[in-house]
């Protein structure tokens, strides 16, 4: 699905311009937020004119969609690279969680932007973006099922996967407090400890 229409037919050029727009927009959204950023500013930060910008998008919300989609795509690709569904060890389970938390530290600015601004998307594009999040939670569910086969109910597995997903993001959401109290390593170690304890307590 590509809900962003464009008058340009060259797919390679579309991808190049979108990468430029995404990079420029993320920088501006970090500084000013989505609503206070203008399309003219995004065009300038992207390295081309406002006229060129509108050859590739219709509205500023289209750029926000591209930003959110790119962030989720990057998270998904990096998470997939750490998952081996043929490895059913508890060590692999912990490794996946640790890798995901490191990823959330690397991308905390982008994740915060996405959650602050995704509400500004139109219904259909918002649903597309949120489905990507559901897909990533489902990936964590498969890891849980692989490493703890037959021991966790479907409902508990879904809740556990969502908990892991949000605990990773919380490092960015609550950084004003958490990052004054914990190093990243300490935070990850404690979260994994609580998680593993919950899996062993009957």
């Amino acid at each position: 699905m590509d809900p962003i229409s464009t008058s340009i037919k060259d797919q390679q050029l579309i991808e190049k311009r979108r990468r430029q727009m995404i990079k420029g927009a993320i920088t501006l959204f970090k500084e000013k937020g989505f609503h206070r950023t203008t399309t003219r500013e995004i065009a300038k930060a992207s390295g081309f004119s406002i006229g060129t910008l509108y050859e590739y998008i219709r509205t500023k919300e289209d750029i926000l969609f591209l930003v959110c989609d790119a962030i989720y795509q990057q998270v998904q690709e990096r998470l997939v690279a750490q998952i081996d569904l043929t490895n059913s060890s508890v060590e692999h389970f912990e490794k996946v969680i640790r890798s995901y938390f490191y990823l959330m530290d690397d991308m905390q600015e982008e994740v915060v932007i996405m959650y602050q601004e995704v509400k500004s998307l139109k219904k259909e594009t918002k649903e597309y973006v949120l489905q990507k999040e559901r897909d990533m939670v489902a990936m964590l569910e498969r890891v849980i099922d692989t490493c703890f086969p037959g021991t966790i109910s479907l409902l508990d597995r879904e809740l556990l996967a969502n908990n892991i997903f949000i605990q990773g993001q919380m490092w960015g959401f609550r950084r004003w407090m958490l990052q004054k109290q914990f190093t990243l390593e300490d935070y990850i170690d404690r979260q994994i400890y609580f998680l593993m304890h919950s899996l062993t307590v009957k």
Side-chain angles (χ1 to χ4, degrees), residues 1-185:
M1 172 188 172
D2 187 352
I4 310 301
S5 64
T6 173
S7 59
I8 306 300
K9 304 303 181 187
D10 185 335
Q11 193 59 40
Q12 287 187 327
L13 185 57
I14 291 172
E15 293 302 319
K16 177 184 176 181
R17 292 294 191 230
R18 284 182 174 181
R19 286 194 298 270
Q20 290 174 283
M21 279 189 280
I22 290 164
K23 183 178 179 181
I26 286 176
T27 299
L28 289 165
F29 292 169
K30 286 179 184 178
E31 294 173 359
K32 305 176 63 173
F34 169 70
H35 291 290
R36 291 174 55 222
T37 298
T38 67
T39 50
R40 191 170 298 278
E41 288 172 326
I42 294 171
K44 183 178 179 181
S46 304
F48 42 78
S49 70
I50 187 72
T52 299
L53 182 77
Y54 277 112
E55 290 179 353
Y56 295 89
I57 53 100
R58 296 161 297 178
T59 66
K60 190 171 69 168
E61 287 73 21
D62 286 349
I63 301 173
L64 177 60
F65 167 77
L66 292 174
V67 167
C68 292
D69 190 42
I71 292 170
Y72 268 130
Q73 188 65 34
Q74 187 176 349
V75 173
Q76 187 170 22
E77 287 173 359
R78 290 179 61 178
L79 185 58
V80 166
Q82 299 299 322
I83 294 175
D84 177 7
L85 293 179
T86 66
N87 188 340
S88 61
S89 69
V90 173
E91 290 76 16
H92 177 61
F93 177 65
E94 292 186 10
K95 178 183 174 237
V96 169
I97 297 170
R98 194 172 294 275
S99 298
Y100 171 67
F101 278 36
Y102 280 129
L103 172 57
M104 290 296 96
D105 178 62
D106 288 345
M107 297 188 66
Q108 57 184 285
E109 293 282 0
E110 287 83 355
V111 171
V112 169
I113 286 171
M114 186 177 60
Y115 274 97
Q116 285 175 337
E117 309 297 358
V118 72
K119 61 183 180 295
S120 299
L121 292 172
K122 290 180 242 180
K123 182 179 179 181
E124 59 272 20
T125 49
K126 184 190 298 183
E127 178 56 30
Y128 173 87
V129 168
L130 294 179
Q131 182 57 49
K132 291 216 166 180
E133 180 169 313
R134 288 191 285 268
D135 291 343
M136 282 183 281
V137 172
M139 289 166 55
L140 292 173
E141 287 184 52
R142 288 193 288 275
V143 174
I144 294 166
D145 193 41
T146 298
C147 297
F148 301 93
T151 62
I152 302 173
S153 71
L154 175 61
L155 190 61
D156 284 348
R157 190 168 70 231
E158 290 176 355
L159 183 57
L160 181 60
N162 275 281
N163 281 345
I164 296 168
F165 197 75
I166 294 302
Q167 284 166 3
Q169 295 172 342
M170 186 169 69
W171 178 248
F173 295 155
R174 303 279 294 176
R175 57 189 169 185
W176 57 273
M177 182 183 73
L178 290 172
Q179 295 182 26
K180 292 178 181 177
Q181 297 176 311
F182 301 94
T183 66
L184 176 60
E185 289 292 339

